[in-house]
Amino acid sequence: MPDLFAPYDLHGLALPNRIAMSAMTRTRASETGVPTDLMRDYYVQRASAGLIVTECTQVSEQGHGIIRCPGIHTADQIAGWRKVTDAVHDAGGRIYVQLWHCGRVAHPEMRGGEPPVGPSPLPAEGDFFLPRGRVEFPTPRPLELEEIAPIVEDFAQATRNAREAGFDGVELHGANGYLQDQFLQDGSNHRSDAYGGGVANRARLMIETAEAMIAAWSAERVGIRLSPSSSLYGMKDSDPRETFGHLVSTLDALEIGYITLLEPNAKDAKKGVQIEHVVETLGPLTSRPLIVNTGFDKAKGNEAIASGFVNLVAYGVPYIANPDLVERFRADAALNKPDPETFYGEGPTGYTDYPAMANETTR
């Protein structure tokens, strides 16, 4: 029976283990979205993962929604990522880039005064971090119908750029309350045109984006990340089982390369999520490789692999503090304690200075 350390063939990409590094925003790119040498070092440190998925990476300037977030839509951004992928491959790793549009989760002050866009004039819940402090989310400008096709093309072009930058594949960020997720769920999508109303219309942007990315590369090299039970930024749906069931079944028909499903976190659970066990509910609807994420340790990860539904387990916060997470799990070694104060920021502190087992010291 396979476990976390068993190899896996991801459509011809040989993974030495089933431990994936989850996509995580870390805000270490340049102000213009160019990946830095520090980012290169960070990913190289974690190259023993079966698969690395990068932080969310904007496909256009309109999609820019996080301070010091990398992009992949300009020549210098592509060149910066090429340094990262070359170094990760030299270290024996495999790396996908997560492609992303922030939608309504942004603020005009970091966008030259331009308001964020979304499916409907409904602001995200919570607050947004600016250098001057936290502020409320503004009401987004609803996208006009003719603006949607160019956004889909942005994802297709970003996929082509990812190939040029040397990535092994791409992941569509369809989770966590960003643009495609905003269109999908009826709590944020009140449109009455071809992209609103029933579930097939609300899923249209997600599906069209996935199709365009597949056409730009291949189905085997395109994955997708979904969060059916996340309440982040006020996301909600009146019938998530129907909505996400339709989406997963449609993605299965596209023969997408993999589907990452996020289980609810503790905050979501307190809010009474409607899909408590995401993989058990949605996993039977697809034959595509499944990656599961959120709240897993080594034991739970092995249980997930043994269930037969799950092919890889993605780890987020444990990978922040433990660049050699695979080796620590294999040795049943203690894990470094992460410092949430340095999850986002600048410089190496809390980013590339966590020790490996071989040279462990007190931070």
Side-chain angles (χ1 to χ4, degrees), residues 136-309:
E136 290 186 355
F137 284 108
T139 299
R141 176 179 67 79
L143 284 163
E144 299 291 340
L145 191 61
E146 61 270 19
E147 293 181 283
I148 294 177
I151 291 174
V152 173
E153 174 53 30
D154 285 339
F155 277 86
Q157 184 59 53
T159 300
R160 292 187 283 269
N161 294 347
R163 294 189 73 176
E164 181 181 345
F167 283 100
D168 297 300
V170 292
E171 178 182 276
L172 169 57
H173 196 343
N176 298 127
Y178 295 115
L179 186 66
Q180 278 75 9
D181 198 22
Q182 293 162 26
F183 270 80
L184 177 68
Q185 300 198 52
D186 60 17
S188 49
N189 183 346
H190 291 184
R191 300 174 75 95
S192 58
D193 59 13
Y195 290 86
V199 62
N201 278 3
R202 286 185 280 112
R204 190 183 304 275
L205 177 60
M206 189 91 73
I207 297 303
E208 288 182 347
T209 306
E211 289 175 331
M213 292 168 64
I214 287 169
W217 197 330
S218 70
E220 292 82 4
R221 290 293 163 253
V222 177
I224 192 167
R225 180 179 177 91
L226 305 174
S227 56
S229 293
S230 174
S231 58
L232 186 65
Y233 302 126
M235 293 304 298
K236 56 182 178 292
D237 189 82
S238 61
D239 192 346
R241 290 174 183 266
E242 178 191 11
T243 296
F244 285 91
H246 169 83
L247 177 61
V248 169
S249 296
T250 307
L251 292 167
D252 182 76
L254 292 180
E255 298 186 337
I256 199 161
Y258 68 77
I259 300 174
T260 294
L261 294 175
L262 277 66
E263 295 286 354
N265 60 29
K267 291 182 180 179
D268 296 324
K270 289 180 181 178
K271 294 183 179 181
V273 297
Q274 291 178 267
I275 304 181
E276 184 178 358
H277 301 291
V278 170
V279 172
E280 291 179 14
T281 302
L282 299 176
L285 302 180
T286 180
S287 60
R288 309 312 296 160
L290 278 182
I291 303 177
V292 67
N293 190 200
T294 312
F296 288 84
D297 56 15
K298 177 184 175 181
K300 291 180 179 178
N302 276 325
E303 289 173 6
I305 298 294
S307 73
F309 281 129

Side-chain angles (χ1 to χ4, degrees), residues 21 26 38-49 52 84 87-88 91 319-327 348 350-356 359:
M21 176 179 167
R26 302 303 309 275
L38 190 64
M39 289 171 58
R40 176 202 61 204
D41 296 344
Y42 169 76
Y43 286 115
V44 166
Q45 286 179 345
R46 291 151 178 82
S48 61
I52 293 171
V84 175
V88 168
Y319 253 121
I320 291 178
N322 299 276
D324 55 348
L325 187 65
V326 173
E327 292 75 18
Y351 189 60
T352 56
D353 64 343
Y354 285 102
N359 58 346

